[in-house]
């Protein structure tokens, strides 16, 4: 689907999606190989099912442990594990949706959920969840997030975990400078300035200027502006270019080269993390996924990972980080067995085991209370922030067919121009808003 609907022409997005749906509809039931739209069957609840891990290699070991536990608990079901690299999983799903070979169960991040569900590839899960032991045991904000990512009407994945945004800071450098923890945006900016000594090649912050820069910039904007919704009340026009967000972005990008290294212009997360781990940089924004890298580089005494800063009044606004979940494919011939696997993977013990290995916030509420979460400060603080009534989450429109094109390919180079002073934050955000408004209008039209 990616190559079909992510065209640069917004005007043809809805027609492209219709064409893909027509293509997959003609393939329904042709050879039983698992294509989008095929109805499949509940099956006997026994036999072999196929599971695609959407981060193969990185989390293969823990999934194999969970699968072993599952097969011991369900000796009449065998799970065929297929590890797919995160960089390849989108294209692999797209190919299988159009040509056959979909798994029974697959790991699906929120950012790719809309594209898969729009083609009729996934089984709606509301009814199954209501009749499941998982009902009432999952984090409601994560459930809301994955529902929103697919358009807001139905649940297509059971959330497994969230990798919240984290502000990592060097406690040793803060202590030496007599600085308080950067728990507010005011403290963050003060620290960025105080920790910078260009002559000694020391900087207060490292900013993300390369791949993945837009999501981080949105987080910084909404976090400072206090705006709590991506769309205005009419549901058609974005708040991205609200004057408060413009002012927030102006302040944020002013850090570049003043309190950050010039090399940040090309930083993706790998370069940014490596730079922070090896140098004299005070603060870094990333997610929980890099925690273990920092431990290896710095130990546990020289840094902390805390939730993104609050406003001075203690309220926090965060953009929704993609929640990872498990989807049940409609074409599967043994949905009963596949659903048993999803229930088991999202249960207290398995959810806790998975999230502990990754250092993420488990979606299972019982798992979120386990000892390891309480002992892992970064995860504990992240879970508390996620569940706090003083936290507002801005749900990003992952459901838009053009989300990835707009938030990555089209605008990452444009954001670099903002950092370099070749365009203004307001001009950048006005252009970004125009693109989102057109994409939203097309989406609304398609829903009619």
């Amino acid at each position: 689907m990616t190559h079909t609907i992510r065209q640069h022409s917004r005007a043809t997005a809805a027609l492209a999606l219709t064409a893909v749906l027509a293509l997959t509809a003609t393939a329904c039931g042709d050879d039983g190989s698992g294509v989008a739209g095929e109805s499949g069957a509940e099956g006997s609840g026994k036999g072999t099912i196929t599971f695609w891990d959407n981060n193969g290699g990185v989390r293969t070991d823990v999934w194999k442990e969970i699968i072993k536990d599952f097969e011991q608990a369900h000796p009449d079901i065998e799970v065929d594990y297929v590890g797919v690299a995160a960089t390849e999983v989108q294209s692999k799903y797209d190919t299988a949706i159009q040509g056959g070979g979909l798994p029974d169960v697959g790991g699906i991040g929120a950012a790719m959920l809309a594209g898969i569900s729009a083609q009729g590839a996934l089984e709606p899960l509301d009814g199954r969840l209501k009749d499941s032991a998982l009902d009432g045991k999952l984090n409601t904000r994560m459930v809301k997030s994955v529902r929103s990512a697919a358009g807001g009407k139905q649940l297509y994945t059971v959330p497994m975990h969230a990798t919240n945004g984290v502000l990592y800071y060097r406690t040793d450098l803060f202590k030496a400078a007599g600085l308080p923890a950067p728990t507010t945006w005011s403290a963050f900016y003060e620290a960025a300035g105080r920790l910078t000594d260009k002559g000694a090649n020391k900087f207060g912050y490292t900013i993300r200027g390369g791949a993945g820069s837009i999501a981080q910039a949105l987080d910084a904007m909404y976090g400072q502006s206090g705006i709590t919704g991506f769309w205005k009340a009419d549901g058609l026009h974005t708040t991205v270019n609200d004057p408060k967000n413009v002012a927030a972005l102006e302040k944020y990008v002013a850090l570049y080269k003043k309190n950050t290294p010039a090399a940040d212009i090309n930083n993706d997360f790998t370069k940014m993390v490596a730079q922070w781990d090896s140098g004299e940089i005070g603060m870094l924004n990333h997610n929980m996924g890099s925690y273990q890298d920092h431990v290896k580089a710095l130990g546990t005494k020289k840094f902390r990972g805390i939730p993104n800063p609050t406003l001075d009044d203690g309220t926090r606004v965060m953009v929704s980080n993609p929640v990872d979940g498990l989807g049940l494919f409609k074409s599967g011939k043994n949905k009963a067995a596949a659903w048993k696997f999803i229930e088991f993977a999202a249960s207290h013990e398995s959810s806790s085991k998975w999230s502990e290995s990754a250092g993420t916030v488990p979606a299972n509420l019982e798992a979120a209370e386990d000892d390891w979460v309480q002992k892992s400060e970064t995860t504990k603080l992240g879970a508390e922030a996620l569940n706090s009534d003083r936290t507002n989450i801005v749900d990003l429109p992952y459901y838009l067919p053009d989300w990835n094109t707009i938030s990555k390919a089209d605008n990452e180079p444009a954001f670099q121009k903002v950092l370099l002073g070749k365009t203004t934050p307001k001009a950048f955000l006005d252009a970004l808003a125009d693109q989102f408004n057109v994409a939203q209008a097309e989406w609304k039209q398609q829903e009619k």
Side-chain angles (χ1 to χ4, degrees), residues 9 43 51 93-94 118 142 167 181 210 226 228-229 294 310 318 343 357 380 390 393 403 410:
S9 172
F51 165 55
Y93 276 132
D94 289 343
M142 293 192 205
L167 177 61
T228 58
H294 307 321
T310 68
M318 308 187 304
E343 284 184 302
S357 75
K380 179 184 178 183
R390 304 203 72 189
I393 297 177
W403 165 257
D410 279 3

Side-chain angles (χ1 to χ4, degrees), residues 208 212-224 245 248-249 252-253 319 415 428-429:
R208 190 164 183 167
S213 60
I214 305 302
Q216 184 168 304
L218 290 174
D219 217 359
M221 284 164 41
Y222 282 95
Q224 295 174 77
N245 274 334
L249 186 61
Y252 183 67
V253 299
V319 301
F415 183 69
F428 168 74
L429 291 179

